[in-house]
Amino acid sequence: MSKKSSIFQSWPLWGLYAVTLLWTWLAGKDMNWDQLNYHMYAADLLVRNRWGQDYFAASVQSYLNPVGYLPFYAMVRAEWNDLFIALVLATMHFLCIVAVWYLYPRLVPSHLAGHLMLRTLTCALAFMTPIGIMSWGSSPNDLIGASLVLWALVFLLHQRPASFRMLALCGLMLGAAAGLKLTNGTFAIAFLLPIIIFNQKHDGSFLIAKKMIFYVFGVVVGFSLLHGYWSWCLWREFKNPFFPFFNKIFESPDFLPVNLHDKRFLGDGGLWGLAKIPWDMLKHQAMVYTEVIAPDVRAIVLVFIIAVFAYSRASLKVLGDERRFSRSISIELVVVSSFALLAYLIWGMTSRIGRYAMPLWLLLGPLVIFLASFLWPGKEKKIGLFASILLMIQCFVTSSSGVIRWDGVNYSGRWFEVDLPAEIANAPATFFSTEEQTLSFISVYLHPESSMANIFGQYVQPAGEKIRPRLAKMMDKNKIYSISKSVDPVLHVDVRNSLNSRLRAYGLIMSQDDCVYGIFHMDRKEPSVSNSGAVYLHFCPLERLNGLEKENAFRYAFKYDEIFDLVERACPAHFDPPGSQTLVNGGVHIRSYFNSVSKLIIESGAVYESAYRALAPQFINTVVNIKNEVPIVCPPILKKRYIE
C-alpha cells in the first residue's frame, strides 16, 4: 500500500480523533471524586517527597501508585489552560481507539479488512463505552492502562507464531498496565491463555512454555519499571511494598493486618450473578456495575450474537457440515474472545467494579462486529446496518439516561479554581481532614512545610492511647486545623458539635477562635440546589484536651468496643475487617468496615447494621441482651445496591 493510500485509508481515524476532542470540549471538565481525593495528592506525595510530613492524607488511596497521574499533575502545576489539559489527556486516551483500529483487520475475514465503513463503526462502538465516555480527557488512568492492554493484543496478533521478542514486548506492556494500577493484573494473567491458543498449532509444549517464560519476564520488567520505585518507597516507609494492600501478609504496623478488598459489587455473587451482568447493564440504575448510571446495550447484544453463533454451529454439526463453519472462524478472533472471556471471569469473581474492566468494555462493540462478520459472510451491508443501529441505540441510551461525566464542570481557565485565606496558604500548619472526601488535592496550594492527614474517612485512624506514632507526632505541631466542606460559608453549630464529638477521641477539640474558609469554585454543568457552584472549605483551629477531660473522652470513645467485637465475631461476613476504630458522633458510636462497605451502629442502647446504599439500618439486638449473652442473629446480606 502506498503512503498516499495509507493516509487516505486512515482519514476516518482522524475524524474520530476530532470527535474525541470535540466531545471533550462539549462534555466539560471532569472533576471526579478520586481526582479531588487522591489523583493530585498521590502525585504530589511522590514529586515533593512529602513522606515525612503527611500521613494518610487521602486515606487508603494516598498510597496508590501515582505514575499514571503525573502528566495531569504536571500540567495543573504548570497552570496550563484547563481545556488544553483535557485535550492532551483525551489525546493520550485516544490511543485505545487507535489500537482497536489496528485490531480490526486482524479479526475480520480478509475480504473485509479494507472496509472503511465497518472499521470506522467498530472504533465508534468502542468510543461509545459508557464508562470510557465519562473519562475521556479526565484524570483517571483506566484508559491509559486499557490502551496498553489493547496494544498488547495488537502486537500478539502481528505474526503467527508469535516471536519471543514480541511476547516479551506484550509482557512489558501488560506488566506496565499492572504497574499503573494493580487491578490490571487481571489482564496480565488472562493473557496467558491467548499465548497458548495462538502458538499451539506451530509450537510444541516445550517451546510454548519457553515463550511464556519470556512473556512473564516482560511482565516483571514492565511492572518493575512503573511500580518498582513506588514499591521501594512504600517498603522504606511502611515495610509493605503494596501498602496498605496485602497487609495481612506484610503486617505493617501502620495499618490493620488485613487485605483490602472492595466488595461493593459482589453482593449478587457466584457465576449466576456474573452471567446476569450483561442484562443488568441495561438498567437505569447506579451501582449495577459502576458507581453511576451507565447503561450499556452492547453487552446484551454481544450475548445474543454469541447465542446465534452457537446455534448456527450446532445446526451445521447436525447437518454434518461443522468443518465449513470451523474454517470460517479466524484463530485471531478465537484468541481475543478467549482472552476477553477469561479476563471477564477473573474480574467478575474478584471485584465487578466496572472501571477495572475498561479493556473489556472497549472490546464489547468491536467483538459484536467481528463475530457478525463471520456469522454473516459476504453481507457487508447487513453488518454495517446492524452496527449503525447498535451505535445509534447506544448513543441514544447514553445521552438520554446515562451520565456523561463523573462530575461535569464548565471550563474556566484554571483546572482547580481555589481561593484560600492567606493564613492557610502562606503559613505552615497541620491539617486534619474529617470526611471521606479528603480534599487532599489542596496540598499543592498549602505552604510547602504544611502537613496533612485524614483521621476519619474511608479508614478511621486508631484513637485514644492507640494513636499511631506518626499521627501523634503531627499533633505536636503548634498550629492544627480541621478541614471540612459545605455549600454554606457558615459552619453551623450542629456541624461543629458533630466534629467535636469525633475529634475528642483523638484528644482534640475546636478552639474558640473563629474558623476561616476558602472557596472552591465549581461551575457545574448540571447544578443542583444543594451543589450549585461553590464549595466552602472550612479551616477550624484545634486545641488539645488535657488531663481528666482527655481521659474521659478516650473512655467514652471505647465504651462499646466489647459489644462491637462480639457482633463482629458473630457476623464476620457483614463486618470486614474486624477491629476498626470506633467513631463517636454525638451520642452515637459507629464502626465502619471498608471491605464489606458497612457500618455497625450503637444508638440509644440498640445495635444496628447500616449497609452501603441500604434503604434503612437493620436492627440486630440491644446492648443489654448482648451483654447477657443473648444469641446474635445476623441480618441478611445486602445483595443489590440499587432498587429494582
Side-chain angles (χ1 to χ4, degrees):
M1 182 182 294
S2 67
K3 185 175 181 181
K4 184 176 180 180
S5 176
S6 177
I7 293 174
F8 174 76
Q9 287 284 323
S10 63
W11 72 261
L13 187 62
W14 288 102
L16 287 169
Y17 175 55
V19 169
T20 301
L21 299 183
L22 180 63
W23 165 260
T24 303
W25 173 53
L26 293 175
K29 176 170 54 180
D30 179 43
M31 203 73 72
N32 60 81
W33 198 93
D34 284 347
Q35 183 185 113
L36 304 181
N37 198 61
Y38 80 95
H39 291 174
M40 277 296 289
Y41 171 75
D44 198 39
L45 173 63
L46 174 64
V47 173
R48 296 203 291 169
N49 194 30
R50 298 178 60 92
W51 297 98
Q53 61 193 95
D54 295 342
Y55 191 60
F56 281 90
S59 193
V60 293
Q61 293 178 312
S62 306
Y63 306 112
L64 296 175
N65 186 9
V67 170
Y69 310 117
L70 288 177
F72 172 70
Y73 172 84
M75 291 185 286
V76 172
R77 290 284 284 162
E79 299 185 350
W80 287 14
N81 178 273
D82 54 358
L83 175 58
F84 188 69
I85 292 174
L87 295 178
V88 171
L89 293 172
T91 300
M92 295 169 61
H93 298 156
F94 189 71
L95 290 174
C96 292
I97 305 303
V98 179
V100 172
W101 178 266
Y102 283 101
L103 273 175
Y104 171 85
R106 291 170 170 81
L107 296 176
V108 296
S110 57
H111 69 280
L112 293 179
H115 201 292
L116 276 184
M117 183 189 73
L118 284 181
R119 196 172 190 177
T120 305
L121 285 170
T122 299
C123 293
L125 281 168
F127 175 82
M128 283 307 300
T129 299
I131 301 181
I133 280 286
M134 290 184 272
S135 299
W136 293 114
S138 186
S139 58
N141 64 10
D142 302 287
L143 286 168
I144 297 175
S147 68
L148 290 168
V149 174
L150 295 176
W151 277 104
L153 286 172
V154 173
F155 291 135
L156 174 68
L157 303 180
H158 179 69
Q159 64 180 34
R160 187 183 184 204
S163 66
F164 289 99
R165 182 180 300 178
M166 195 61 74
L167 287 173
L169 176 61
C170 292
L172 187 73
M173 301 186 78
L174 284 157
L180 276 178
K181 194 164 189 171
L182 294 178
T183 50
N184 286 330
T186 294
F187 306 105
I189 296 169
F191 205 82
L192 290 168
L193 182 59
I195 292 174
I196 296 171
I197 295 174
F198 197 57
N199 293 281
Q200 64 178 350
K201 186 176 180 180
H202 297 84
D203 300 332
S205 299
F206 176 77
L207 195 55
I208 290 176
K210 190 174 179 181
K211 287 185 174 183
M212 291 176 72
I213 291 172
F214 270 72
Y215 165 74
V216 172
F217 175 76
V219 170
V220 172
V221 172
F223 184 84
S224 300
L225 286 174
L226 267 72
H227 206 283
Y229 177 72
W230 188 249
S231 287
W232 179 81
C233 290
L234 295 176
W235 177 262
R236 180 192 64 199
E237 296 294 323
F238 305 112
K239 303 306 177 191
N240 178 348
F242 304 104
F243 185 83
F245 297 93
F246 308 115
N247 208 46
K248 193 171 185 178
I249 300 171
F250 294 100
E251 297 185 339
S252 168
D254 286 279
F255 196 65
L256 295 170
V258 298
N259 293 331
L260 278 167
H261 186 192
D262 190 339
K263 301 176 183 178
R264 288 174 298 164
F265 296 88
L266 288 175
D268 197 2
L271 291 175
W272 172 242
L274 191 57
K276 283 168 62 273
I277 288 179
W279 175 259
D280 291 339
M281 289 171 73
L282 294 172
K283 295 177 179 177
H284 182 76
Q285 297 279 3
M287 299 304 299
V288 175
Y289 71 110
T290 190
E291 294 85 347
V292 296
I293 300 171
D296 195 337
V297 301
R298 302 170 309 154
I300 197 67
V301 171
L302 178 60
V303 171
F304 172 75
I305 288 289
I306 292 172
V308 174
F309 207 78
Y311 175 77
S312 300
R313 176 163 189 163
S315 300
L316 287 172
K317 186 174 183 179
V318 170
L319 295 173
D321 200 14
E322 185 187 10
R323 290 181 62 190
R324 180 174 64 84
F325 187 88
S326 300
R327 284 197 302 270
S328 71
I329 306 171
S330 72
I331 185 63
E332 290 82 5
L333 183 57
V334 172
V335 163
V336 173
S337 300
S338 64
F339 165 77
L341 178 59
L342 181 56
Y344 179 74
L345 291 173
I346 297 172
W347 166 81
M349 301 306 290
T350 54
S351 77
R352 298 191 195 171
I353 298 174
R355 291 174 287 112
Y356 298 171
M358 186 70 78
L360 299 184
W361 311 138
L362 289 166
L363 282 172
L364 270 183
L367 280 173
V368 170
I369 304 274
F370 301 150
L371 285 168
S373 67
F374 286 100
L375 186 63
W376 301 312
K379 305 286 186 179
E380 292 88 348
K381 291 184 178 180
K382 182 178 180 179
I383 298 169
L385 178 62
F386 174 73
S388 300
I389 293 173
L390 176 58
L391 179 62
M392 288 188 288
I393 292 174
Q394 184 59 57
C395 289
F396 173 76
V397 168
T398 299
S399 61
S400 62
S401 60
V403 174
I404 62 172
R405 280 298 196 209
W406 296 101
D407 194 352
V409 177
N410 289 309
Y411 293 106
S412 59
R414 290 191 301 168
W415 193 276
F416 296 112
E417 295 283 351
V418 180
D419 297 318
L420 298 181
E423 61 264 44
I424 298 299
N426 300 330
T430 294
F431 297 91
F432 290 147
S433 58
T434 58
E435 301 176 16
E436 283 195 21
Q437 173 50 271
T438 64
L439 299 170
S440 60
F441 77 95
I442 67 169
S443 67
V444 299
Y445 301 105
L446 300 175
H447 189 279
E449 296 178 11
S450 287
S451 300
M452 290 190 72
N454 176 250
I455 49 178
F456 29 84
Q458 293 173 303
Y459 167 58
V460 181
Q461 289 287 342
E465 300 297 338
K466 299 180 181 179
I467 291 177
R468 295 203 169 102
R470 291 177 187 241
L471 190 62
K473 184 178 179 181
M474 295 176 69
M475 293 180 181
D476 291 336
K477 301 286 181 70
N478 291 327
K479 200 69 173 177
I480 306 176
Y481 292 90
S482 66
I483 309 174
S484 54
K485 70 180 190 310
S486 74
V487 294
D488 197 315
V490 177
L491 196 65
H492 295 290
V493 174
D494 58 338
V495 178
R496 291 179 64 98
N497 291 339
S498 175
L499 285 171
N500 270 330
S501 65
R502 287 180 279 170
L503 287 166
R504 290 172 67 86
Y506 298 87
L508 299 170
I509 195 171
M510 290 184 180
S511 73
Q512 297 302 313
D513 297 337
D514 291 336
C515 301
V516 295
Y517 68 82
I519 303 177
F520 177 27
H521 302 277
M522 296 180 70
D523 182 17
R524 284 187 163 86
K525 282 280 189 180
E526 298 179 5
S528 62
V529 175
S530 62
N531 232 342
S532 57
V535 175
Y536 293 90
L537 309 178
H538 298 275
F539 301 90
C540 299
L542 303 180
E543 58 187 32
R544 298 161 189 80
L545 297 175
N546 292 304
L548 184 60
E549 191 177 15
K550 182 178 179 179
E551 290 180 16
N552 289 337
F554 287 177
R555 190 178 301 113
Y556 185 67
F558 291 92
K559 179 179 179 180
Y560 293 114
D561 276 18
E562 183 180 351
I563 303 298
F564 282 123
D565 293 342
L566 288 170
V567 178
E568 288 171 357
R569 286 196 289 271
C571 309
H574 290 256
F575 309 112
D576 180 29
S580 60
Q581 174 61 45
T582 303
L583 190 66
V584 179
N585 191 357
V588 183
H589 287 66
I590 306 168
R591 276 193 183 179
S592 298
Y593 304 90
F594 44 77
N595 280 351
S596 53
V597 202
S598 58
K599 293 181 179 180
L600 193 54
I601 302 170
I602 296 179
E603 182 178 10
S604 302
V607 183
Y608 302 90
E609 178 194 16
S610 177
Y612 179 62
R613 286 179 63 89
L615 293 177
Q618 298 186 79
F619 175 76
I620 295 177
N621 215 319
T622 65
V623 171
V624 173
N625 284 343
I626 294 173
K627 284 183 176 179
N628 291 331
E629 299 184 357
V630 174
I632 297 169
V633 179
C634 305
I637 292 178
L638 185 69
K639 289 188 175 182
K640 295 178 181 175
R641 304 193 189 275
Y642 56 89
I643 302 172
E644 290 283 15

